[in-house]
Every structure is written in structure tokens, then in C-alpha cells.
Amino acid sequence: MIFPKIVKKLNKINNEAAIFRPEYSGGPKVRVIGPGGPYVVDLVAKSCTCVRFDLTELPCTHAYVSIIGNNEKIEKYVNVLYYVDTFKNVYSHYINPTNHEDHWPKVEDCAEILPPKVKGAQIMKSLTAKVPNEILHVADEFLVILNRLGGRGADCSSSLPCISVNISQLLL
């Protein structure tokens, strides 16, 4: 049995499928004509050129038309993840309750666990190594112009904002 919500989606796809027309080639691939251009559905690979069938593993509108045209059941092409039995099997086990944290055994003589070291500075250096000097020079000139518009040099005593940043220092 398929989930009711998935059945609703399949019913909606059924309603949309009326505007598509399949063209059978005699093989497992079917060309479907309709809005958005022609689509190719491969029923063996369970794929369509619209990619929806590939991603969701539910038949898209184009695949639906092809499946119905071959007098096959839609359920054959729905992934087992959408079945109630699969859900029940996955969640059939139970998790035993545990005591509150206050009742846990105390651990003594244990080394402190530290977080891993971040390599952010190394990453930034590798990124700036790839930036050409011409770009850094142009960025510095741009900031000089912004400083002239927004303030009086390094003292920034005007009421307008002052930007005194060296772009190469930001990237290092």
C-alpha cells in the first residue's frame, strides 16, 4: 500500500497526463509529446528527460502516460520508500528509555575532548594566491575613491562614513 499523500500526488499527475501523447518505438523508451517539448521516458531505467522521475523516484507526468499506455501498473514504478510497509519496517524497532543524566555513571581520569582545529587561515591564503595582483590593485584604487567621497583621509572626521580598508588585507 502506498502512502495516501503519494496517492494524491499520483492522482494529480493522472489529471495532468491528459494533455500528453506517447509515441512508442517498440523498445523500453517512449517519446512523450506535450507542453514543454518532447520528453523521452526510459521505463527500464525509471528515468525521464524532465529529471523529475529520476529525482523523486515517483513517475512524472510523462512516465505516467507511458506506463498507462503500456497497460502496466503505476505501483510497479513507485519506489519502495513510498510504501507504508517500508515505513513500518524501518520504524518497527524501539528505543529503550535511559536514566536521567544525574544518574549516569561518573567518568574519572578521562582526557578532555577538544574540537578539531580550523584551517580557515590556510583556506584564505590559498584563495588569495589565485587572485591576480591587478584585481587587488583595482580594488585598492576603488576603496581610495570611496574614502575620498566618504571622509577626509585616515582621520574620518566628517559626518559621512569613512572606509579605510586595504582589500589585500581582507583577503589574507
Side-chain angles (χ1 to χ4, degrees):
M1 186 168 107
I2 299 173
F3 280 112
K5 193 170 187 176
I6 302 302
V7 171
K8 285 181 184 178
K9 284 185 180 183
L10 291 172
N11 289 335
K12 184 179 175 185
I13 289 171
N14 181 33
N15 294 338
E16 294 170 356
I19 57 176
F20 291 95
R21 189 181 83 246
E23 293 179 351
Y24 299 97
S25 62
K29 293 186 180 182
V30 180
R31 184 175 178 198
V32 179
I33 306 296
Y39 298 93
V40 178
V41 177
D42 187 347
L43 294 177
V44 174
K46 296 183 179 180
S47 68
C48 179
T49 53
C50 77
V51 190
R52 183 187 285 176
F53 194 12
D54 305 287
L55 293 175
T56 63
E57 298 191 29
L58 274 175
C60 61
T61 312
H62 320 107
Y64 195 94
V65 170
S66 305
I67 294 165
I68 296 299
N70 278 344
N71 293 325
E72 296 185 66
K73 292 191 174 191
I74 297 296
E75 292 83 14
K76 179 181 173 184
Y77 295 92
V78 174
N79 192 304
V80 294
L81 295 174
Y82 297 111
Y83 282 86
V84 174
D85 292 336
T86 305
F87 182 85
K88 286 180 179 178
N89 288 337
V90 168
Y91 293 103
S92 65
H93 67 285
Y94 61 92
I95 299 173
N96 289 321
T98 60
N99 289 331
H100 188 267
E101 197 175 329
D102 297 339
H103 300 289
W104 291 356
K106 302 291 183 208
V107 178
E108 296 177 14
D109 300 329
C110 182
E112 184 181 359
I113 300 174
L114 299 174
K117 293 182 180 180
V118 179
K119 299 179 181 179
Q122 292 175 351
I123 293 170
M124 288 306 293
K125 284 182 183 177
S126 66
L127 289 175
T128 56
K130 297 176 184 174
V131 178
N133 287 334
E134 301 87 36
I135 294 175
L136 293 175
H137 180 67
V138 170
D140 282 337
E141 286 182 12
F142 179 71
L143 287 173
V144 168
I145 292 169
L146 285 177
N147 281 333
R148 286 185 194 149
L149 294 173
R152 292 188 219 142
D155 65 344
C156 296
S157 58
S158 76
S159 61
L160 296 173
C162 177
I163 304 167
S164 58
V165 178
N166 185 345
I167 193 71
S168 58
Q169 290 175 346
L170 286 176
L171 295 174
L172 293 178

